[in-house]
Amino acid sequence: SGRLFVVEQGGRIWILDRDDSRLPNAFLDISARVSPEANNLSTYTERGLLGLAFHPDYAENGYFYVNYTDTSGVSVVSRFSVSAESPDMADPASEMIILRQQQPFANHNGGWLDFGPDGYLYISIGDGGSAGDPQRNAQNLQTWLGKILRIDVDSAEPYAVPEDNPFVGTTGILPEIWAYGLRNAWRNSFDRQTGDLYIADVGQNQ
């Protein structure tokens, strides 16, 4: 559309128009729903509104997805809809929660999400924080922490699990898991030519 959507950690999404001017009203404002420390610019935090992804058929269905930590420190992935009255405004009352994950610490909450070339939604949760993964979440296949998830948001509400996910049908492993052993895969990107996923995982000392 020629517009640029800018995500603010404090819980707002703004639009820059074709002239690079910010529209006066936020596209979405969920600042009251996100971790309150994310609205304090003088305090460093890894929580807040951390990710935005538009549905591949956004032009037709108006769906977009966000990844944020709520006021209780829980990671939330939700679907919102654009307003029926204006393409430059979302409907804040349209939230449908896709999934929630308790975060044991305030850091390493991940936050990235995007649709792959296969049409599925990929989500990074983070290992839950502290340092050195003290709860060993990244290697634990019975938690979403320390993983990238892959889900189908079109076949069911809130979602279905793709049948070709690597651990589907394996007893004792959560079927949403697509990749594991990650610390804090904070920003990732699909190669537009090959479809490969590049994962930028925050390291510790090296």
Side-chain angles (χ1 to χ4, degrees):
S1 66
R3 300 171 297 170
L4 180 66
F5 290 75
V6 181
V7 176
E8 284 188 345
Q9 193 173 358
R12 296 176 181 87
I13 300 173
W14 298 92
I15 294 177
L16 301 184
D17 64 17
R18 295 175 184 271
D19 298 323
D20 291 334
S21 299
R22 192 182 82 173
L23 299 188
N25 297 313
F27 175 70
L28 179 70
D29 184 351
I30 56 170
S31 54
R33 307 180 200 184
V34 307
S35 303
E37 64 266 32
N39 287 288
N40 185 353
L41 297 180
S42 64
T43 303
Y44 173 74
T45 180
E46 296 182 13
R47 291 178 166 177
L49 177 56
L50 303 174
L52 165 66
F54 292 93
H55 192 283
D57 296 325
Y58 176 77
E60 287 74 38
N61 61 30
Y63 293 155
F64 64 96
Y65 297 77
V66 296
N67 192 339
Y68 67 92
T69 49
D70 68 13
T71 55
S72 299
V74 174
S75 283
V76 179
V77 173
S78 290
R79 187 188 79 189
F80 284 88
S81 298
V82 69
S83 169
E85 300 169 358
S86 170
D88 294 329
M89 297 288 292
D91 179 4
S94 66
E95 181 175 23
M96 183 184 79
I97 294 177
I98 305 296
L99 57 83
R100 296 165 56 90
Q101 171 63 55
Q102 183 69 46
Q103 293 285 354
F105 301 98
N107 61 335
H108 298 183
N109 293 172
W112 170 86
L113 75 171
D114 199 5
F115 283 89
D118 53 13
Y120 295 134
L121 183 63
Y122 291 71
I123 303 161
S124 174
I125 300 291
D127 70 5
S130 189
D133 193 8
Q135 298 182 349
R136 301 292 185 263
N137 290 317
Q139 298 293 332
N140 181 356
L141 294 175
Q142 295 182 350
T143 178
W144 290 336
L145 294 169
K147 317 296 189 298
I148 289 180
L149 312 180
R150 178 178 183 252
I151 61 174
D152 177 359
V153 295
D154 292 323
S155 297
E157 289 189 353
Y159 68 86
V161 175
E163 294 183 357
D164 59 347
N165 271 11
F167 300 111
V168 166
T170 304
T171 302
I173 300 180
L174 298 179
E176 295 89 349
I177 295 173
W178 183 78
Y180 72 101
L182 300 166
R183 187 168 187 260
N184 190 30
W186 188 68
R187 283 294 177 264
N188 315 303
S189 183
F190 286 99
D191 187 302
R192 295 181 182 180
Q193 292 185 339
T194 67
D196 292 343
L197 175 60
Y198 288 84
I199 301 173
D201 193 9
V202 179
Q204 188 158 311
N205 297 327
Q206 300 180 4

